[in-house]
Amino acid sequence: MSKESARWVSSSDVIPMFPTLVWRAELEAQLQRDIAARVLPLLARMRGPLPPLAPGRGWQSIQTLHTLGEFQDLVSCVSRVVSGILRFLKVGCEAFEISACWATILATGAAHRVHQHPNNYLSAVYYLRTHPGADSINFHDPRSQSGVIRPPVVGLTANNTDQVVVRVRNGTLLVFPAYLQHSVDANGSAAERISISFNIMFSDFTENISKPLWGKFEAARRTSRPEKGKARMVRKRKPARH
């Protein structure tokens, strides 16, 4: 066929599928100051009996900070963001709770290896103290097979990378799927990096979510024929009853 005249395609498209989302909110300046004024002295008291962190070392607090009065402003912010995320995702379960909340302090040279937060739906992190050289978090490609073949690329883009580095600052709040692996590079500053982490889970998981999806939920699982030119969304099916 003639390269100049032949028309071999009538249209083309790229269909994005299965996105991995990270939500970011920047807290208002006065609220940041109020949270820091309550939280930093409390963390100092918790660490009071302990020696100063040596280079390359980190410290994590108890995991029930969300139950303390000093954290209620921050807990309220996290709850409001999570409520908005569930509406955005059109999740049919509104009731959720913070299952854990803890502080992490990293001294100069300290890093946090790749990890995720099992048995939760969402995770969050609030940045209380960041500094140049200690102001980022790495998110890693959750597709386990994507690295089987990794050809060289001529330009790094969001569509061919296996890691995304997100810059943060004091007052940044990030919320992301709890399954999403993440890590923190070594603190390259002379000051401590302080963050507050959260895990979020549905309050009624065992009552309403972990049940099989047949019966009264069957109708919600049915999918209609997609519009012309549109992809059909299909919910993952549970195993059949035996």
Side-chain angles (χ1 to χ4, degrees):
M1 76 183 165
S2 170
K3 183 180 295 186
E4 291 79 15
S5 61
R7 183 178 180 181
W8 62 275
V9 63
S10 62
S11 65
S12 64
D13 196 6
V14 175
I15 303 174
M17 295 185 181
F18 315 120
T20 301
L21 306 177
V22 175
W23 292 265
R24 173 166 48 193
E26 303 289 344
L27 269 57
E28 186 271 333
Q30 184 57 54
L31 181 56
Q32 292 181 39
R33 290 191 289 269
D34 291 344
I35 291 172
R38 295 185 180 97
V39 170
L40 287 174
L42 175 63
L43 296 181
R45 291 195 298 272
M46 287 182 172
R47 284 201 41 81
L50 303 175
L53 286 174
R57 302 301 298 270
W59 173 83
Q60 287 188 319
S61 72
I62 58 174
Q63 296 185 344
T64 55
L65 296 182
H66 57 294
T67 65
L68 305 179
E70 292 87 346
F71 282 81
Q72 293 316 297
D73 284 347
L74 181 54
V75 166
S76 177
C77 293
V78 172
S79 296
R80 292 175 69 176
V81 172
V82 170
S83 293
I85 289 171
L86 297 183
R87 290 194 300 270
F88 173 82
L89 294 175
K90 301 187 184 304
V91 171
C93 302
E94 298 180 356
F96 64 89
E97 59 188 68
I98 294 173
S99 57
C101 171
W102 65 98
T104 300
I105 301 178
L106 298 181
T108 301
H112 206 166
R113 62 179 177 78
V114 177
H115 66 286
Q116 73 265 43
H117 299 182
N119 299 326
N120 289 278
Y121 185 65
L122 294 171
S123 292
V125 58
Y126 176 74
Y127 294 90
L128 198 61
R129 285 291 179 267
T130 64
H131 315 278
D135 57 355
S136 66
I137 180 173
N138 309 314
F139 291 103
H140 303 271
D141 191 342
R143 301 168 300 169
S144 60
Q145 298 302 309
S146 63
V148 171
I149 298 177
R150 190 169 297 283
V153 298
V154 297
L156 195 60
T157 73
N159 298 316
N160 62 29
T161 185
D162 63 350
Q163 177 178 306
V164 175
V165 180
V166 176
R167 295 291 174 185
V168 298
R169 60 187 182 184
N170 293 354
T172 297
L173 173 63
L174 300 179
V175 183
F176 49 92
Y179 65 76
L180 184 58
Q181 290 195 321
H182 51 286
S183 64
V184 178
D185 292 335
N187 181 352
S189 75
E192 293 179 339
R193 174 188 183 274
I194 306 177
S195 60
I196 310 297
S197 298
F198 296 83
N199 283 338
I200 297 100
M201 188 54 179
F202 297 107
S203 301
D204 55 357
F205 181 80
T206 55
E207 290 80 4
N208 295 322
I209 302 177
S210 64
K211 299 285 193 300
L213 294 179
W214 55 73
K216 66 178 181 178
F217 298 109
E218 189 69 28
R221 295 173 55 211
R222 296 178 186 143
T223 57
S224 59
R225 179 176 298 177
E227 298 177 25
K228 188 175 182 179
K230 297 290 184 66
R232 184 179 64 173
M233 306 302 172
V234 181
R235 190 170 180 83
K236 184 186 293 184
R237 295 184 180 277
K238 291 273 187 173
R241 289 173 289 183
H242 296 287

